[in-house]
Amino acid sequence: MATVTGVRQRLFSTVADQLGNPHGFLGKGVAFVLDRGNRRAIDAAIGAADPQAGATVADIGFGGGVGLGLLLERVGADGLVHGIEPSADMRARAGDRYAGPIATGRLVLTDGTLTALGLPDATLNAAVTVNTIYFLDDLPAACAELARVLEPGGTVVIGIGDPDAMRRMPFTPYGFRLRPVEDVLAALAGAGLAVDHRTLANPPIPHHLLIGRKG
């Protein structure tokens, strides 16, 4: 029994690690799963952010990269998309996938995190980050950083799975930090943003869109 338990722990720990930082051979499969599983939530987050044609936007922690394509479509030929991702393997994958928009300057991929975005103040009209804050220690610092890079009138949308539903998943005890929705809204408000909350019935679990708007 102890051996079986140990194998399960190693398996779920590996899954959690890959979801937080997809890399290597396993990361390729994880990227595919992320694109497929997160697409609806990412699309809804982009809809809530509502960037217009010509806008400057960002997908932070873009993982498999499906959100980059959705944002490129949304902002059109005159827009600019920043893809910010700490995983070098995911940046390389996105670089191959979106070589055309990168070559024309419509997409810029950079190494960064939610607490260190590497963008100037008041750069973005909109930003989205979906299923990323589970791996974040300092949520207030991340919200302050998001507020810093938004221009006045800009919007950020943080997407998370319902915390109660997430707790029932076998891998979330291994490195996931599941915060109440109210805590995330409070952190956005503490960064000086006006907040809103929408829900998305997103099988296999419900999803929350936590929206901050800069005055």
Side-chain angles (χ1 to χ4, degrees):
M1 181 64 69
T3 300
V4 173
T5 300
V7 170
R8 283 174 57 85
Q9 289 176 339
R10 288 194 296 273
L11 172 62
F12 293 136
S13 180
T14 298
V15 170
D17 177 62
Q18 284 287 343
L19 289 171
N21 181 29
H23 59 277
F25 178 76
L26 288 177
K28 295 178 181 179
V30 169
F32 175 81
V33 171
L34 289 173
D35 272 356
R36 185 168 183 175
N38 289 341
R39 182 186 179 95
R40 187 177 174 207
I42 294 169
D43 196 26
I46 293 170
D50 194 26
Q52 303 301 301
T56 299
V57 299
D59 186 354
I60 303 160
F62 59 75
V66 66
L68 301 175
L70 295 173
L71 283 170
L72 285 165
E73 291 176 6
R74 185 81 179 218
V75 303
D78 295 326
L80 173 61
V81 177
H82 290 276
I84 302 171
E85 168 61 52
S87 169
D89 287 356
M90 293 302 98
R91 293 197 307 274
R93 182 177 188 272
D96 291 338
R97 183 176 180 178
Y98 298 109
I102 291 171
T104 60
R106 295 180 57 221
L107 173 63
V108 177
L109 303 180
T110 57
D111 180 8
T113 67
L114 281 165
T115 54
L117 294 173
L119 296 173
D121 293 355
T123 298
L124 302 176
N125 303 114
V128 299
T129 185
V130 175
N131 289 336
T132 56
I133 67 166
Y134 318 128
F135 312 104
L136 183 66
D137 290 329
D138 194 339
L139 180 61
C143 290
E145 178 72 344
L146 289 166
R148 181 187 68 79
V149 299
L150 287 179
E151 70 168 16
T155 302
V156 60
V157 180
I158 298 175
I160 61 171
D162 181 76
D164 290 335
M166 293 285 288
R167 287 189 189 93
R168 294 193 289 270
M169 294 185 169
F171 51 81
T172 53
Y174 302 92
F176 279 64
R177 185 166 181 174
L178 303 177
R179 296 175 169 89
V181 168
E182 294 77 12
D183 287 4
V184 185
L185 290 171
L188 287 168
L193 303 177
V195 298
D196 192 11
H197 174 207
R198 301 180 190 176
T199 57
L200 175 69
N202 189 30
I205 64 170
H207 208 82
H208 298 270
L209 301 177
L210 312 175
I211 304 163
R213 295 188 175 90
K214 190 169 182 177

